[in-house]
Structure formats: structure tokens, C-alpha cells
């Protein structure tokens, strides 16, 4: 029997995919068959998945048919993109999955291989602070940033976005994490930090170690 954890995850997840018929589980299993990154299990853990399912639920109520590609910023390994493109309540032409870490794009493309083949997913390596969303063609229909806590200057970043652009933003109060630079202590503090022109959804989701906050609206 192999002691390689990736091989064990691969085997287990293939079994779970067969049992559940869930295509995302099958795609994660496939990824584990192809030398997965060590922190892939963190990106796919129950807390990460729950926060993204929360987002998908809220989006299905607030903006199920964005009028243009959906950009996911700080997208890590593209798990949110996979959930967005699988949900039948949402009508999304394309997901652009952006992360500053060059190790993320190949993993995100492999995870979303079915959508890459259908022309509905692409992963790019860039600093979200340097992207000019007004210059993108086609224009984004929605920009999602679930990594606001990682930015140095959230109000400064929001101010660079085109007025009226639909946004989904998540942050948290996990101040202890060294990579977190813009945590907020409450949902009200997040509303103030983001300063959106319109808010369609505002919610807080407590977890064991921290509370995650989400805003959906437009700049
Ligand atoms: C730990 S991960 C995701 C955490 C987040 N709460 C989530 O689950 O969506 C944060 C990601 O943001 C990325 N990131 C941080 N600053 C960024 C920037 N300026 N532009 C693009 N990606 C960035 C990191 O490379 C990392 O992959």
C-alpha cells in the first residue's frame, strides 16, 4: 500500500465522486492524480467550501445572471470558479480566475479543465491592484474578491473600479493571521471600508476561529 498522501486523497476522492456523482469532487480527485499543491487540501477544506457555498447561495438570490464575465480575484486554486460554473441557478458566460501567485493558474486550469475546454474558464496571473477593469473587453459583469483581508488598502482598491460595477466582497476578523492586512471587526466596519454605492446583500457568518463578512452590491 502507498504512503503517498496525494495518492491516498486521489483514491478516496475518486470513491467519493463515484458515490456522490458530484463532478467537482471528481475534478478535485483528478487534480490529486496530477501532483497537487500541498495546500490544495486547505483550499478545499469544509470552511473554505462553506464560505463559497454561502457566496453562491447569496449570488443566486442577488445577481444570478451577471451581464458579462465574472472575475474572481485572489482566486487561489479556482475552487470558487468551479462552484460558480456548476450551479444551475447561475448563468455565467465565463469565469476569469486571477491570482498574483504564479503557482495558482496551472492548478486552477486543471481543476476547471471541463470549463477551460468549453471556453468558460481561464486563469490569469496578475496583481489585482494593477488591473484596469474599465479597459477589459468584454466588460466584466461582476467582480468577486473573497480575499479583501489580504489587501493593503481596500478603499483604495474599490476606488479604482468603474462606478456601477457589480461586486461581491468577503473579508473577516481573523486579525491573528500574519498575511491579513485589512481585517475588519464587524459587518458595519466592512460596509464602511468598502463604501459601496448600493448594497443588495450584507451578511456575517461566524466560524470557530473568526467571522466572515460578505457584501453584494455595486461600486
Ligand atoms: C489564502 S487565499 C484565499 C483566502 C480567501 N479568504 C478565500 O478563500 O477566498 C488568498 C489569495 O489571495 C492572493 N492575493 C493576495 N494579494 C493579491 C493581489 N494583490 N492580487 C491578486 N491576488 C492576491 C494570494 O496569492 C492567495 O492565493
Amino acid at each position: 500500500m502507498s504512503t503517498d498522501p496525494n495518492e491516498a486523497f486521489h483514491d478516496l476522492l475518486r470513491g467519493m465522486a463515484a458515490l456522490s456523482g458530484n463532478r467537482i469532487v471528481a475534478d478535485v480527485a483528478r487534480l490529486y492524480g496530477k501532483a497537487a499543491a500541498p495546500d490544495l487540501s486547505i483550499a478545499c477544506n469544509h470552511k473554505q467550501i462553506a464560505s463559497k457555498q454561502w457566496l453562491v447561495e447569496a449570488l443566486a438570490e442577488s445577481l444570478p445572471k451577471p451581464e458579462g464575465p465574472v472575475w474572481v480575484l485572489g482566486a487561489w486554486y479556482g475552487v470558487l470558479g468551479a462552484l460558480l460554473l456548476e450551479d444551475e441557478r447561475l448563468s455565467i458566460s465565463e469565469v476569469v480566475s486571477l491570482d498574483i501567485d504564479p503557482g495558482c493558474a496551472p492548478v486552477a486550469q486543471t481543476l476547471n479543465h471541463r470549463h477551460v475546454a468549453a471556453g468558460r474558464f481561464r486563469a490569469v496571473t496578475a496583481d489585482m491592484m494593477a488591473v484596469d477593469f474599465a479597459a477589459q473587453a468584454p466588460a466584466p459583469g461582476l467582480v468577486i474578491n473573497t480575499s479583501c483581508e489580504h489587501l493593503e488598502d481596500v478603499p483604495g482598491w474599490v476606488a479604482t473600479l468603474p462606478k456601477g460595477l457589480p461586486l461581491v466582497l468577503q473579508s473577516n476578523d481573523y486579525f491573528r493571521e500574519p498575511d491579513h492586512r485589512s481585517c475588519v471587526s464587524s459587518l458595519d466596519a466592512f460596509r464602511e471600508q468598502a463604501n459601496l454605492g448600493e448594497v443588495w446583500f450584507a451578511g456575517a457568518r461566524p466560524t470557530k476561529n473568526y467571522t466572515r463578512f460578505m457584501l453584494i452590491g455595486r461600486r
Side-chain angles (χ1 to χ4, degrees):
M1 204 173 75
S2 164
T3 52
D4 176 358
N6 277 359
E7 211 172 306
F9 280 141
H10 182 216
D11 258 0
L12 176 68
L13 286 165
R14 281 171 79 194
M16 295 304 107
L19 189 63
S20 63
N22 187 303
R23 289 192 291 183
I24 300 175
V25 179
D27 290 336
V28 176
R30 180 177 176 273
L31 198 47
Y32 271 104
K34 294 177 182 288
D39 58 344
L40 179 63
S41 63
I42 301 174
C44 295
N45 75 22
H46 68 281
K47 286 179 284 187
Q48 291 291 339
I49 295 291
S51 70
K52 283 156 187 82
Q53 284 177 318
W54 182 42
L55 189 157
V56 170
E57 289 302 315
L59 193 62
E61 292 294 319
S62 315
L63 186 67
K65 295 179 182 176
E67 291 174 3
V70 173
W71 285 62
V72 181
L73 311 181
W76 210 357
Y77 296 135
V79 173
L80 177 56
L83 265 63
L84 290 168
L85 290 172
E86 206 63 26
D87 198 289
E88 287 176 356
R89 294 166 298 173
L90 304 176
S91 172
I92 293 175
S93 56
E94 184 193 14
V95 166
V96 183
S97 197
L98 178 149
D99 203 284
I100 198 168
D101 177 351
C104 292
V107 179
Q109 298 254 139
T110 305
L111 174 63
N112 287 279
H113 66 107
R114 291 180 289 115
H115 307 302
V116 171
R120 294 182 70 210
F121 185 94
R122 68 189 164 97
V124 299
T125 301
D127 182 350
M128 68 172 97
M129 300 298 291
V131 179
D132 180 356
F133 287 99
Q136 300 302 320
L142 172 68
V143 169
I144 300 177
N145 185 350
T146 60
S147 300
C148 287
E149 70 274 12
H150 287 263
L151 293 186
E152 209 67 69
D153 177 11
V154 174
W157 170 69
V158 173
T160 67
L161 303 173
K163 194 94 186 126
L165 177 67
L167 293 170
V168 179
L169 306 178
Q170 284 190 357
S171 189
N172 61 46
D173 62 0
Y174 202 21
F175 290 91
R176 269 184 297 148
E177 170 61 50
D179 283 348
H180 291 176
R181 302 184 178 99
S182 283
C183 285
V184 283
S185 53
S186 67
L187 184 57
D188 279 347
F190 191 33
R191 287 179 89 120
E192 202 170 307
Q193 187 189 58
N195 192 26
L196 299 183
E198 276 178 39
V199 175
W200 308 323
F201 173 95
R205 201 173 170 281
T207 64
K208 193 170 157 225
N209 293 324
Y210 60 87
T211 298
R212 191 174 286 270
F213 306 108
M214 179 160 63
L215 299 171
I216 303 181
R218 63 168 91 244
R219 151 96 162 88

